[in-house]
Amino acid sequence: LTPYPMKTTTLFLFLCVLVGMTRVAQAQTDEAQVKETLLNYLEGGTNQDTARLNKAFFGGVLQMNINREGRPTASTKREFMSKVRVGQKLDRTTRIVAYSIINNAATATVESEYADFKYVDYLNLLKIGNDWKIVSRVFTRAEKDELPVSFGTGKAPVAQKKPTARPKPKYNDGWD
């Protein structure tokens, strides 16, 4: 004798499963779209393709780095695009190092490796309407073999046990 008829309970469970499946499907769609945006940025840059670069960026995107004199420098999407040499493919390899997505925000690390060095980019993305766009870029020049240092695993730190003094002997052997 339940307060809800079996049909109502079954319908409720079906709707819960459907909502869960929809969220999983949306997450997979978002992942594919974020990857596509990152590839538009990387391949658009390599191939000096302004159409692909424009697909990747939102509006006036702010980009920052530390220049060779050690000062912060900023540029806009327009300034970045003015340096693109259409039709002149760059001799570099690129890769997506990592990305993270939650709701309508994402962050990614990508690398562009040249003959003597590489650029490491930290990108922030937002889902604007139905499209994922890069809204900010922070980058640095690094040695080819230089790896980023990562902190934080998202897990709580594990408490360490304090070491005890000398353990008590199990029996008195006469040496104490």
Side-chain angles (χ1 to χ4, degrees):
L1 301 167
T2 61
Y4 301 106
M6 185 62 140
K7 286 183 181 179
T8 303
T9 304
T10 303
L11 179 61
F12 176 73
L13 290 173
F14 173 75
L15 289 174
C16 287
V17 169
L18 185 62
V19 167
M21 288 173 36
T22 301
R23 287 188 182 203
V24 168
Q26 182 61 43
Q28 291 171 342
T29 301
D30 286 339
E31 181 182 6
Q33 289 175 340
V34 165
K35 282 182 178 177
E36 181 181 353
T37 299
L38 297 173
L39 290 174
N40 280 335
Y41 167 63
L42 293 171
E43 293 176 10
T46 298
N47 296 311
Q48 299 288 277
D49 181 343
T50 56
R52 284 194 80 176
L53 286 168
N54 273 313
K55 283 183 185 179
F57 286 112
F58 177 76
V61 174
L62 180 62
Q63 304 176 89
M64 294 197 71
N65 76 319
I66 303 296
N67 67 16
R68 291 178 191 227
E69 290 80 38
R71 291 190 303 249
T73 60
S75 62
T76 63
K77 174 184 165 187
R78 177 177 290 174
E79 292 167 324
F80 175 77
M81 296 296 276
S82 72
K83 296 176 184 172
V84 173
R85 296 182 186 108
V86 177
Q88 292 184 15
K89 186 175 179 175
L90 300 177
D91 185 18
R92 69 180 192 178
T93 58
T94 62
R95 73 184 185 109
I96 298 170
V97 176
Y99 57 92
S100 176
I101 305 166
I102 186 165
N103 297 327
N104 60 358
T107 186
T109 304
V110 299
E111 291 180 351
S112 300
E113 188 174 306
Y114 295 83
D116 301 339
F117 67 94
K118 67 182 175 183
Y119 282 114
V120 177
D121 294 8
Y122 297 99
L123 307 169
N124 290 309
L125 299 89
L126 287 175
K127 188 172 187 178
I128 301 169
N130 292 321
D131 299 319
W132 284 92
K133 299 287 184 179
I134 298 168
V135 296
S136 69
R137 173 183 179 235
V138 174
F139 63 100
T140 190
R141 183 180 166 133
E143 298 300 320
K144 287 177 68 167
D145 62 347
E146 199 172 350
L147 298 173
V149 178
S150 298
F151 300 97
T153 61
K155 297 178 182 177
V158 176
Q160 298 293 321
K161 292 183 180 180
K162 290 184 180 180
T164 58
R166 293 186 338 184
K168 292 182 181 179
K170 293 181 182 177
Y171 64 94
N172 185 348
D173 60 5
W175 287 94
D176 288 349

